[in-house]
Amino acid sequence: MRIKGTVVITLKSGEKALILLTESKADQFKLYQHLATDAYQFKNELSEEEPEIKYISSGFKTDENEIIWDDNYIAVPNWYDKN
């Protein structure tokens, strides 16, 4: 699976979420599963480099350029909780 882009959205709570965009709905599902169960190093690096990002998820862009994503967001650890 390939990441084709990213989108940062602001949730109703004011927190920011990073959406990683894939090529298809099937790839989006696979990526979400990987982010939810693994990707520890990625989440740690994200928390250090972009501390304003509190959540991540995966999505894809339809043929009509509509972005669809999983709104069951995955929390990114706070960089200061790791020290």
Side-chain angles (χ1 to χ4, degrees), residues 8-25:
V8 175
I9 61 169
T10 303
L11 305 175
K12 290 180 183 179
S13 64
E15 296 173 310
K16 296 193 182 295
L18 174 67
I19 311 300
L20 304 172
L21 301 175
T22 63
E23 295 178 321
S24 68
K25 184 170 181 69

PDB file of all heavy atoms in Angstrom, residues 8-25:
ATOM      1  N   VAL A   8      -4.570  17.367   7.311  1.00  0.00           N
ATOM      2  CA  VAL A   8      -4.720  17.654   8.730  1.00  0.00           C
ATOM      3  C   VAL A   8      -6.081  18.306   8.906  1.00  0.00           C
ATOM      4  O   VAL A   8      -6.393  19.291   8.237  1.00  0.00           O
ATOM      5  CB  VAL A   8      -3.600  18.577   9.255  1.00  0.00           C
ATOM      6  CG1 VAL A   8      -3.847  18.964  10.704  1.00  0.00           C
ATOM      7  CG2 VAL A   8      -2.242  17.912   9.102  1.00  0.00           C
ATOM      8  N   ILE A   9      -6.883  17.711   9.792  1.00  0.00           N
ATOM      9  CA  ILE A   9      -8.206  18.270  10.060  1.00  0.00           C
ATOM     10  C   ILE A   9      -8.280  18.714  11.514  1.00  0.00           C
ATOM     11  O   ILE A   9      -7.546  18.201  12.361  1.00  0.00           O
ATOM     12  CB  ILE A   9      -9.334  17.264   9.751  1.00  0.00           C
ATOM     13  CG1 ILE A   9      -9.198  16.013  10.620  1.00  0.00           C
ATOM     14  CG2 ILE A   9      -9.353  16.898   8.285  1.00  0.00           C
ATOM     15  CD1 ILE A   9     -10.404  15.098  10.563  1.00  0.00           C
ATOM     16  N   THR A  10      -9.146  19.662  11.787  1.00  0.00           N
ATOM     17  CA  THR A  10      -9.400  20.096  13.148  1.00  0.00           C
ATOM     18  C   THR A  10     -10.735  19.506  13.580  1.00  0.00           C
ATOM     19  O   THR A  10     -11.751  19.723  12.915  1.00  0.00           O
ATOM     20  CB  THR A  10      -9.425  21.626  13.247  1.00  0.00           C
ATOM     21  OG1 THR A  10      -8.174  22.140  12.767  1.00  0.00           O
ATOM     22  CG2 THR A  10      -9.639  22.085  14.676  1.00  0.00           C
ATOM     23  N   LEU A  11     -10.699  18.760  14.672  1.00  0.00           N
ATOM     24  CA  LEU A  11     -11.903  18.133  15.194  1.00  0.00           C
ATOM     25  C   LEU A  11     -12.755  19.159  15.935  1.00  0.00           C
ATOM     26  O   LEU A  11     -12.286  20.258  16.253  1.00  0.00           O
ATOM     27  CB  LEU A  11     -11.520  16.985  16.124  1.00  0.00           C
ATOM     28  CG  LEU A  11     -10.597  15.922  15.519  1.00  0.00           C
ATOM     29  CD1 LEU A  11     -10.197  14.894  16.575  1.00  0.00           C
ATOM     30  CD2 LEU A  11     -11.266  15.247  14.339  1.00  0.00           C
ATOM     31  N   LYS A  12     -13.991  18.815  16.232  1.00  0.00           N
ATOM     32  CA  LYS A  12     -14.877  19.721  16.966  1.00  0.00           C
ATOM     33  C   LYS A  12     -14.286  20.136  18.301  1.00  0.00           C
ATOM     34  O   LYS A  12     -14.539  21.230  18.786  1.00  0.00           O
ATOM     35  CB  LYS A  12     -16.234  19.063  17.176  1.00  0.00           C
ATOM     36  CG  LYS A  12     -17.036  18.919  15.923  1.00  0.00           C
ATOM     37  CD  LYS A  12     -18.368  18.253  16.189  1.00  0.00           C
ATOM     38  CE  LYS A  12     -19.113  18.060  14.881  1.00  0.00           C
ATOM     39  NZ  LYS A  12     -20.401  17.405  15.075  1.00  0.00           N
ATOM     40  N   SER A  13     -13.473  19.257  18.890  1.00  0.00           N
ATOM     41  CA  SER A  13     -12.833  19.554  20.174  1.00  0.00           C
ATOM     42  C   SER A  13     -11.693  20.567  20.043  1.00  0.00           C
ATOM     43  O   SER A  13     -11.162  21.031  21.039  1.00  0.00           O
ATOM     44  CB  SER A  13     -12.284  18.265  20.783  1.00  0.00           C
ATOM     45  OG  SER A  13     -11.259  17.737  19.952  1.00  0.00           O
ATOM     46  N   GLY A  14     -11.296  20.861  18.801  1.00  0.00           N
ATOM     47  CA  GLY A  14     -10.186  21.768  18.552  1.00  0.00           C
ATOM     48  C   GLY A  14      -8.860  21.051  18.348  1.00  0.00           C
ATOM     49  O   GLY A  14      -7.880  21.672  17.953  1.00  0.00           O
ATOM     50  N   GLU A  15      -8.823  19.760  18.627  1.00  0.00           N
ATOM     51  CA  GLU A  15      -7.601  18.989  18.440  1.00  0.00           C
ATOM     52  C   GLU A  15      -7.411  18.657  16.967  1.00  0.00           C
ATOM     53  O   GLU A  15      -8.371  18.606  16.206  1.00  0.00           O
ATOM     54  CB  GLU A  15      -7.662  17.710  19.272  1.00  0.00           C
ATOM     55  CG  GLU A  15      -7.709  18.004  20.772  1.00  0.00           C
ATOM     56  CD  GLU A  15      -7.944  16.769  21.593  1.00  0.00           C
ATOM     57  OE1 GLU A  15      -8.885  16.018  21.284  1.00  0.00           O
ATOM     58  OE2 GLU A  15      -7.182  16.566  22.536  1.00  0.00           O
ATOM     59  N   LYS A  16      -6.167  18.405  16.587  1.00  0.00           N
ATOM     60  CA  LYS A  16      -5.849  18.133  15.188  1.00  0.00           C
ATOM     61  C   LYS A  16      -5.632  16.639  14.967  1.00  0.00           C
ATOM     62  O   LYS A  16      -5.077  15.954  15.819  1.00  0.00           O
ATOM     63  CB  LYS A  16      -4.617  18.909  14.768  1.00  0.00           C
ATOM     64  CG  LYS A  16      -4.844  20.423  14.810  1.00  0.00           C
ATOM     65  CD  LYS A  16      -3.764  21.158  14.108  1.00  0.00           C
ATOM     66  CE  LYS A  16      -3.960  22.651  14.190  1.00  0.00           C
ATOM     67  NZ  LYS A  16      -5.109  23.144  13.521  1.00  0.00           N
ATOM     68  N   ALA A  17      -6.063  16.187  13.790  1.00  0.00           N
ATOM     69  CA  ALA A  17      -5.876  14.792  13.390  1.00  0.00           C
ATOM     70  C   ALA A  17      -5.203  14.763  12.026  1.00  0.00           C
ATOM     71  O   ALA A  17      -5.548  15.540  11.134  1.00  0.00           O
ATOM     72  CB  ALA A  17      -7.212  14.065  13.328  1.00  0.00           C
ATOM     73  N   LEU A  18      -4.241  13.865  11.889  1.00  0.00           N
ATOM     74  CA  LEU A  18      -3.542  13.652  10.625  1.00  0.00           C
ATOM     75  C   LEU A  18      -4.191  12.461   9.935  1.00  0.00           C
ATOM     76  O   LEU A  18      -4.258  11.366  10.502  1.00  0.00           O
ATOM     77  CB  LEU A  18      -2.064  13.363  10.881  1.00  0.00           C
ATOM     78  CG  LEU A  18      -1.231  12.984   9.658  1.00  0.00           C
ATOM     79  CD1 LEU A  18      -1.102  14.167   8.700  1.00  0.00           C
ATOM     80  CD2 LEU A  18       0.150  12.493  10.083  1.00  0.00           C
ATOM     81  N   ILE A  19      -4.677  12.682   8.709  1.00  0.00           N
ATOM     82  CA  ILE A  19      -5.286  11.619   7.921  1.00  0.00           C
ATOM     83  C   ILE A  19      -4.306  11.239   6.818  1.00  0.00           C
ATOM     84  O   ILE A  19      -3.915  12.082   6.009  1.00  0.00           O
ATOM     85  CB  ILE A  19      -6.624  12.070   7.289  1.00  0.00           C
ATOM     86  CG1 ILE A  19      -7.537  12.743   8.324  1.00  0.00           C
ATOM     87  CG2 ILE A  19      -7.309  10.906   6.596  1.00  0.00           C
ATOM     88  CD1 ILE A  19      -7.912  11.883   9.500  1.00  0.00           C
ATOM     89  N   LEU A  20      -3.875   9.974   6.808  1.00  0.00           N
ATOM     90  CA  LEU A  20      -2.980   9.465   5.776  1.00  0.00           C
ATOM     91  C   LEU A  20      -3.834   8.892   4.659  1.00  0.00           C
ATOM     92  O   LEU A  20      -4.684   8.026   4.901  1.00  0.00           O
ATOM     93  CB  LEU A  20      -2.076   8.382   6.355  1.00  0.00           C
ATOM     94  CG  LEU A  20      -1.239   8.803   7.570  1.00  0.00           C
ATOM     95  CD1 LEU A  20      -0.536   7.604   8.167  1.00  0.00           C
ATOM     96  CD2 LEU A  20      -0.246   9.865   7.182  1.00  0.00           C
ATOM     97  N   LEU A  21      -3.637   9.362   3.433  1.00  0.00           N
ATOM     98  CA  LEU A  21      -4.464   8.971   2.299  1.00  0.00           C
ATOM     99  C   LEU A  21      -3.812   7.869   1.475  1.00  0.00           C
ATOM    100  O   LEU A  21      -2.639   7.956   1.128  1.00  0.00           O
ATOM    101  CB  LEU A  21      -4.740  10.182   1.402  1.00  0.00           C
ATOM    102  CG  LEU A  21      -5.441  11.352   2.097  1.00  0.00           C
ATOM    103  CD1 LEU A  21      -5.546  12.532   1.145  1.00  0.00           C
ATOM    104  CD2 LEU A  21      -6.791  10.940   2.615  1.00  0.00           C
ATOM    105  N   THR A  22      -4.592   6.845   1.174  1.00  0.00           N
ATOM    106  CA  THR A  22      -4.131   5.715   0.372  1.00  0.00           C
ATOM    107  C   THR A  22      -4.807   5.752  -0.992  1.00  0.00           C
ATOM    108  O   THR A  22      -5.602   6.647  -1.289  1.00  0.00           O
ATOM    109  CB  THR A  22      -4.453   4.382   1.066  1.00  0.00           C
ATOM    110  OG1 THR A  22      -5.869   4.258   1.181  1.00  0.00           O
ATOM    111  CG2 THR A  22      -3.812   4.300   2.437  1.00  0.00           C
ATOM    112  N   GLU A  23      -4.533   4.726  -1.807  1.00  0.00           N
ATOM    113  CA  GLU A  23      -5.070   4.677  -3.168  1.00  0.00           C
ATOM    114  C   GLU A  23      -6.487   4.121  -3.252  1.00  0.00           C
ATOM    115  O   GLU A  23      -7.188   4.382  -4.217  1.00  0.00           O
ATOM    116  CB  GLU A  23      -4.152   3.843  -4.054  1.00  0.00           C
ATOM    117  CG  GLU A  23      -2.784   4.463  -4.224  1.00  0.00           C
ATOM    118  CD  GLU A  23      -1.850   3.623  -5.063  1.00  0.00           C
ATOM    119  OE1 GLU A  23      -1.865   2.381  -4.930  1.00  0.00           O
ATOM    120  OE2 GLU A  23      -1.111   4.219  -5.859  1.00  0.00           O
ATOM    121  N   SER A  24      -6.909   3.342  -2.255  1.00  0.00           N
ATOM    122  CA  SER A  24      -8.214   2.689  -2.352  1.00  0.00           C
ATOM    123  C   SER A  24      -8.791   2.448  -0.968  1.00  0.00           C
ATOM    124  O   SER A  24      -8.097   2.547   0.035  1.00  0.00           O
ATOM    125  CB  SER A  24      -8.075   1.349  -3.070  1.00  0.00           C
ATOM    126  OG  SER A  24      -7.330   0.449  -2.265  1.00  0.00           O
ATOM    127  N   LYS A  25     -10.069   2.112  -0.937  1.00  0.00           N
ATOM    128  CA  LYS A  25     -10.732   1.795   0.317  1.00  0.00           C
ATOM    129  C   LYS A  25     -10.108   0.565   0.969  1.00  0.00           C
ATOM    130  O   LYS A  25      -9.932   0.524   2.188  1.00  0.00           O
ATOM    131  CB  LYS A  25     -12.221   1.580   0.091  1.00  0.00           C
ATOM    132  CG  LYS A  25     -12.984   1.341   1.369  1.00  0.00           C
ATOM    133  CD  LYS A  25     -14.475   1.377   1.132  1.00  0.00           C
ATOM    134  CE  LYS A  25     -15.253   1.175   2.405  1.00  0.00           C
ATOM    135  NZ  LYS A  25     -15.166   2.250   3.354  1.00  0.00           N
TER     136      LYS A  25
END
